[in-house]
Amino acid sequence: MALTACNGDGEKDSAAPSASSSPSGAGAGKGSAAPSTSAPSDGGKADGDSAGSSGGSDGSTPQASAPAADDGQDGGVGMCETTDLSYNVTVASKPVNHALLKATNKSSDSCLLPANELVITIPGLDGAAEHAGPEGKDWILKSGESAYAGILFARADTEGGKTADKVEIALTPAESPATVPINDGPVTVNDGQVTSFFGTAEDALTY
């Protein structure tokens, strides 16, 4: 469903990120996917991690593993939970009205990332961002690895909206969300879309 502003028109904001690209994760079925040995192509790094998020201290972030093969094996890896990851949301220079979400596995164990159930909400707005782009398979996210998703905050042909400087993020609808500040915000919100998780920032901002 589309996000709708609870309050009046907000200040028109500058560009925020887009999202999309080849699928990275699939159904949310628990333990339905198995780790793959091939790693995804290198992608762009998101700008600095936000407060409370964790990542490599040397500035480099390991790329996430490739989507798990759908062979009925999960290698004993449990599903990632919202609290297992740290999050960084940064307004993208292009496409306009988009932001890049970077999610890093801060736990010491690998986990199975639900690629298509990501829930993005804006405090003060009704509803969650709708899904955009292709779906993928759930995939193994190793300790220290990151996955990326694109968030659309506003349509270029829509006037007005609500000003927001934070988002709420949950990996599945059943979990309590984490509140994350929007780096380089605030942004104007009059619509909301989010992609599945991908292995690179470029892919996440394609759709």
Side-chain angles (χ1 to χ4, degrees):
M1 70 183 78
L3 294 174
T4 58
C6 291
N7 297 322
D9 290 351
E11 300 177 4
K12 188 106 180 175
D13 208 286
S14 46
S18 152
S20 182
S21 104
S22 40
S24 267
K30 204 154 190 168
S32 63
S36 167
T37 55
S38 63
S41 60
D42 290 341
K45 294 186 180 73
D47 295 335
D49 287 342
S50 62
S53 69
S54 66
S57 59
D58 61 354
S60 64
T61 302
Q63 291 298 311
S65 306
D70 188 14
D71 58 4
Q73 303 291 318
D74 64 8
V77 176
M79 296 297 293
C80 296
E81 297 183 358
T82 299
T83 54
D84 292 329
L85 310 184
S86 62
Y87 306 92
N88 177 284
V89 176
T90 303
V91 172
S93 57
K94 60 180 182 180
V96 297
N97 298 335
H98 284 74
L100 177 69
L101 164 62
K102 176 183 176 183
T104 303
N105 183 355
K106 65 181 181 180
S107 72
S108 58
D109 301 315
S110 299
C111 59
L112 189 63
L113 181 68
N116 307 307
E117 295 189 72
L118 183 60
V119 179
I120 300 293
T121 53
I122 305 294
L125 294 181
D126 297 327
E130 296 178 343
H131 180 83
E135 294 190 351
K137 294 181 179 295
D138 295 353
W139 47 314
I140 298 295
L141 193 66
K142 296 179 181 178
S143 177
E145 287 184 337
S146 296
Y148 302 87
I151 305 171
L152 169 69
F153 288 116
R155 295 185 180 278
D157 58 356
T158 303
E159 293 287 333
K162 177 182 175 63
T163 299
D165 59 5
K166 60 177 66 74
V167 297
E168 293 181 339
I169 300 170
L171 295 184
T172 66
E175 297 183 76
S176 296
T179 300
V180 180
I182 300 173
N183 295 327
D184 299 330
V187 297
T188 296
V189 182
N190 59 40
D191 196 357
Q193 293 185 345
V194 63
T195 67
S196 296
F197 276 117
F198 296 98
T200 69
E202 288 86 352
D203 284 345
L205 293 175
T206 298
Y207 298 92

